[in-house]
Amino acid sequence: MNRRRLLASLPAAFAASSFAAGTDQKFRVAIIGHTGRGNYGHGLDTMWKAIPTTEIVAVADADAKGLADELKKLGTGKGFADYKAMLAEVKPDIVAIGPRQIDQHRDMMLAAIQNGVKGIYIEKPFVRSPAEADEVIAAAEKSGTKIAIAHRNRYHPVLPIVAKLIADGVIGRVLEMRGRGKEDPRGGSLDMWVLGSHVMGVAIALAGAPRACTAGVYQDGKPVTKADVKDGDEGIGPLAGDEVHARFEMENGIPFFFDSIKDGRLKKPAYDDPASFGLQIFGNEGVIDFRMDQEPFAWIQTGKEARRPVLEDKVIAKKVSSHEIPGLDLIAAIQENRAPLCDAAHGRQITEMIAAVFESHRLSSQRVTFPLQTRVNPLTML
């Protein structure tokens, strides 16, 4: 598909925010990082240098050396050791929250909202529990703050193209969706949190909101018990399980399966084989295969045809991977007073899907429905 046809196929959010001419308005961006505790995420600091309608005015980092290095790297902005002091003094339009450790996310977002920011761009995963998501969303709705989450795949322009292929029946009747995590040494529950969240985000984009979940979580081949629960990496909080198997009922009626097993990923030389980290949509006349962290992002195979990319465009792929398109979408969301493509509600759905896996397991793999009645981490209730 050439770029002209691609642009014509995109929803207004992509066309307006990602490729239209910029405005003269400059949005003042402040960056929150934490060297040694999640740093600046996957480029949530440098992304703004590629967006001409923004200017970086301040950086906060509790680590003195990390702050000095960051200011040197960016070549702009004023440095602060305390992000709350930065927000109070600078009063930015947009705050980028970079640390990957999510135990910091709630407090950082609430502080930004309380200081009147127009938009927040935050590293994934979103927050640690549905309760935290509820609190942040309520505060943002009251203030009018737009929150966008750095699930880059959600902003990829191949998604509306795939949605149309499915709607047009190109792969026939859709039977199921199957997702897997990266399944490296983090495989299981940690993988589900930090990488499976990408897969869940794509599933929601194509199949709608989750309606119910049935799941089991295992440690060393046995069902997880209270004795297995420990403090997880990445600031996740209570965590257990090196093996996860879950089935979700989605809004469009198509079942979505998610699985992750520690060290289950294919070994070299087939380390990046299409059978690993991603999402596959099975129809009775073909398969669409999403490869997370790879480009082309989506592949299709129907009938006797060879497997081929749905879209190949290196320029667009770079704009997605560098967070330029997500950043532009957040700016457009502020200007147009609409939700970003991957907003806080989307983040809450993903957080709730993860919590539902543990809740179903806690209830002996019973079917649990959304919204979850249990808003805290269910592992604390084993």
Side-chain angles (χ1 to χ4, degrees), residues 79-143:
F80 292 82
D82 183 346
Y83 70 83
K84 292 181 180 179
M86 176 187 72
L87 294 169
E89 179 179 326
V90 174
K91 298 293 184 183
D93 299 310
I94 295 173
V95 172
I97 299 177
R100 292 189 304 276
Q101 270 81 342
I102 64 174
D103 57 338
Q104 305 171 85
H105 285 186
R106 169 195 171 274
D107 291 349
M108 289 176 174
M109 282 190 285
L110 289 177
I113 291 167
Q114 290 162 6
N115 279 279
V117 303
K118 298 175 182 177
I120 295 171
Y121 191 62
I122 184 165
E123 181 62 287
K124 58 79 193 172
F126 182 37
V127 288
R128 294 176 294 179
S129 68
E132 287 191 349
D134 294 341
E135 184 179 9
V136 169
I137 288 173
E141 287 178 346
K142 185 176 180 180
S143 69

Side-chain angles (χ1 to χ4, degrees), residues 22-77:
T23 67
D24 293 332
Q25 181 182 0
K26 286 277 188 178
F27 288 83
R28 300 166 66 253
V29 178
I31 297 165
I32 301 175
H34 196 158
T35 301
R37 286 217 61 216
N39 304 325
Y40 294 83
H42 295 86
L44 268 65
D45 51 348
T46 55
M47 59 181 281
W48 308 102
K49 296 171 75 70
I51 300 176
T53 54
T54 65
E55 59 177 337
I56 300 170
V57 295
V59 180
D61 190 330
D63 182 90
K65 184 179 184 306
L67 177 60
D69 290 345
E70 182 68 12
L71 290 170
K72 183 178 179 181
K73 178 173 73 172
L74 294 176
T76 185

Side-chain angles (χ1 to χ4, degrees), residues 27-295:
F27 288 83
R28 300 166 66 253
V29 178
I31 297 165
I32 301 175
H34 196 158
T35 301
R37 286 217 61 216
N39 304 325
Y40 294 83
H42 295 86
L44 268 65
D45 51 348
T46 55
M47 59 181 281
W48 308 102
K49 296 171 75 70
I51 300 176
T53 54
T54 65
E55 59 177 337
I56 300 170
V57 295
V59 180
D61 190 330
D63 182 90
K65 184 179 184 306
L67 177 60
D69 290 345
E70 182 68 12
L71 290 170
K72 183 178 179 181
K73 178 173 73 172
L74 294 176
T76 185
K78 182 178 180 181
F80 292 82
D82 183 346
Y83 70 83
K84 292 181 180 179
M86 176 187 72
L87 294 169
E89 179 179 326
V90 174
K91 298 293 184 183
D93 299 310
I94 295 173
V95 172
I97 299 177
R100 292 189 304 276
Q101 270 81 342
I102 64 174
D103 57 338
Q104 305 171 85
H105 285 186
R106 169 195 171 274
D107 291 349
M108 289 176 174
M109 282 190 285
L110 289 177
I113 291 167
Q114 290 162 6
N115 279 279
V117 303
K118 298 175 182 177
I120 295 171
Y121 191 62
I122 184 165
E123 181 62 287
K124 58 79 193 172
F126 182 37
V127 288
R128 294 176 294 179
S129 68
E132 287 191 349
D134 294 341
E135 184 179 9
V136 169
I137 288 173
E141 287 178 346
K142 185 176 180 180
S143 69
T145 303
K146 309 299 182 185
I147 299 176
I149 305 169
H151 282 290
R152 294 175 297 187
N153 297 319
R154 179 63 185 88
Y155 301 88
H156 201 297
V158 80
L159 279 175
I161 298 172
V162 167
K164 189 172 188 307
L165 291 174
I166 293 171
D168 289 346
V170 174
I171 62 169
R173 177 188 173 192
V174 178
L175 305 174
E176 65 179 30
M177 302 190 300
R178 286 195 171 269
R180 302 197 75 87
K182 192 167 280 188
E183 299 187 291
D184 56 16
R186 297 169 291 183
S189 295
L190 181 59
D191 186 23
M192 176 173 63
W193 262 112
V194 301
L195 295 162
S197 55
H198 283 299
V199 179
M200 292 176 179
V202 174
I204 291 171
L206 294 171
R211 295 304 190 207
C213 173
T214 306
V217 185
Y218 304 86
Q219 183 70 42
D220 299 323
K222 298 178 181 179
V224 159
T225 66
K226 184 176 182 178
D228 297 309
V229 179
K230 298 179 175 59
D231 231 16
D233 292 339
E234 306 281 348
I236 284 167
L239 193 68
D242 59 11
E243 184 174 345
V244 168
H245 301 287
R247 181 186 187 276
F248 295 93
E249 300 167 30
M250 307 300 285
E251 185 177 0
N252 69 355
I254 305 301
F256 164 53
F257 299 86
F258 178 82
D259 299 89
S260 176
I261 300 173
K262 181 180 179 181
D263 293 323
R265 188 175 181 177
L266 294 175
K267 307 297 182 182
K268 290 183 178 180
Y271 195 68
D272 290 321
D273 186 277
S276 58
F277 183 33
L279 173 72
Q280 293 177 317
I281 304 171
F282 293 91
N284 64 354
E285 296 179 18
V287 177
I288 294 174
D289 184 13
F290 287 95
R291 297 292 92 216
M292 307 296 161
D293 291 345
Q294 295 184 34
E295 194 64 37

